[in-house]
Amino acid sequence: MSGILRIHWAIAPKTAPRPLINCNRCGTVKAYCSSGKFRVNANGKRIDVWLIYRCTDCKNSWNFDIFERCNRRDIEPALLQALENNDSALSRRHAFDVVALRSRVGHVEEFPDVAVHKRRLGDTREAATVLELQLGLEMPTSLRLDRLLAGELGISRSRLQALEEKRLLILGRDGAKALRKPAREGMTIHIDLSGEVDRQTIIAAAGG
């Protein structure tokens, strides 16, 4: 009887997206990077909050709106304190919010590099021949699923495609299309390796 080895992959993007902005110092469109610092401006009961970005060349600043003319009472005290203290986790969350950035500037440079923490779930007494990979994303990434799997399992994308065509790689309702799309939070991937001679090598790479 085939054993199923369940492994959770916690995926975190490494490089924050960079808005492409017409820099008035450089005189052309430049990539801007988050400084990790917030600017909080209080005017009576109203508060404005921005995440400060810097031009990668001249360090000219650009402010990314977080709150605009917001009533102080509408902001949780703990959140306001985190903003005033430049909380690193909070600034990272906003810096990786590519949807909000796109709505503000239109053009954003994205990066596919990620860190993957692998954790085995439970135990399998018998020799595992089926992998069940559960994906957890700290935040959205532009990395395609086939590139993620190929890189982390040490196999080619064409081999992944062949496994999917043989129904040995199950990707849920999206089928083969999911391989060409970014990895998604909560995805569960099944890979039947019973007929693969390098099964143990792939399982070891998966984190088993």
Side-chain angles (χ1 to χ4, degrees):
M1 182 176 178
S2 297
I4 299 177
L5 180 57
R6 295 177 174 86
I7 300 174
H8 182 269
W9 285 5
I11 302 164
K14 290 183 178 180
T15 306
R18 303 193 304 187
L20 302 177
I21 299 168
N22 191 3
C23 178
N24 55 21
R25 283 188 186 173
C26 296
T28 187
V29 173
K30 292 288 185 178
Y32 276 62
C33 288
S34 170
S35 69
K37 306 292 185 183
F38 293 103
R39 178 186 172 192
V40 180
N41 182 45
N43 185 3
K45 295 181 180 180
R46 299 290 177 181
I47 293 180
D48 295 298
V49 180
W50 302 276
L51 179 60
I52 302 172
Y53 279 72
R54 299 284 182 186
C55 173
T56 54
D57 283 346
C58 73
K59 306 308 178 184
N60 188 37
S61 66
W62 173 75
N63 294 332
F64 174 33
D65 298 336
I66 305 299
F67 291 112
E68 186 175 6
R69 306 298 294 163
C70 184
N71 193 305
R72 178 184 287 271
R73 292 177 301 179
D74 294 333
I75 303 178
E76 292 286 342
L79 174 58
L80 183 57
Q81 183 178 15
L83 291 165
E84 291 173 338
N85 292 336
N86 294 314
D87 181 82
S88 59
L90 184 60
S91 65
R92 175 178 167 82
R93 179 164 63 83
H94 284 291
F96 277 88
D97 190 345
V98 67
V99 174
L101 276 172
R102 240 190 236 112
S103 68
R104 179 72 168 81
V105 300
H107 299 290
V108 178
E109 183 180 16
E110 294 186 70
F111 301 88
D113 52 329
V114 298
V116 181
H117 175 71
K118 302 167 182 178
R119 178 170 56 91
R120 183 168 173 164
L121 303 174
D123 194 13
T124 303
R125 294 182 181 178
E126 54 205 327
T129 57
V130 177
L131 275 178
E132 181 183 290
L133 304 175
Q134 301 175 13
L135 306 189
L137 271 65
E138 178 191 6
M139 52 196 71
T141 174
S142 62
L143 179 62
R144 279 176 34 156
L145 181 61
D146 58 353
R147 293 184 182 277
L148 171 68
L149 293 175
E152 296 301 323
L153 297 178
I155 61 179
S156 68
R157 287 185 287 159
S158 60
R159 186 173 176 187
L160 287 170
Q161 186 69 42
L163 288 170
E164 196 283 328
E165 290 171 356
K166 296 175 183 177
R167 303 298 293 166
L168 298 175
L169 171 62
I170 307 298
L171 300 162
R173 63 182 182 275
D174 293 330
K177 292 180 180 179
L179 285 173
R180 299 187 294 275
K181 296 179 180 179
R184 290 188 290 105
E185 163 67 26
M187 286 190 76
T188 298
I189 301 161
H190 290 87
I191 310 176
D192 185 344
L193 299 170
S194 56
E196 307 301 311
V197 295
D198 56 347
R199 176 176 68 250
Q200 293 305 322
T201 301
I202 296 172
I203 288 174

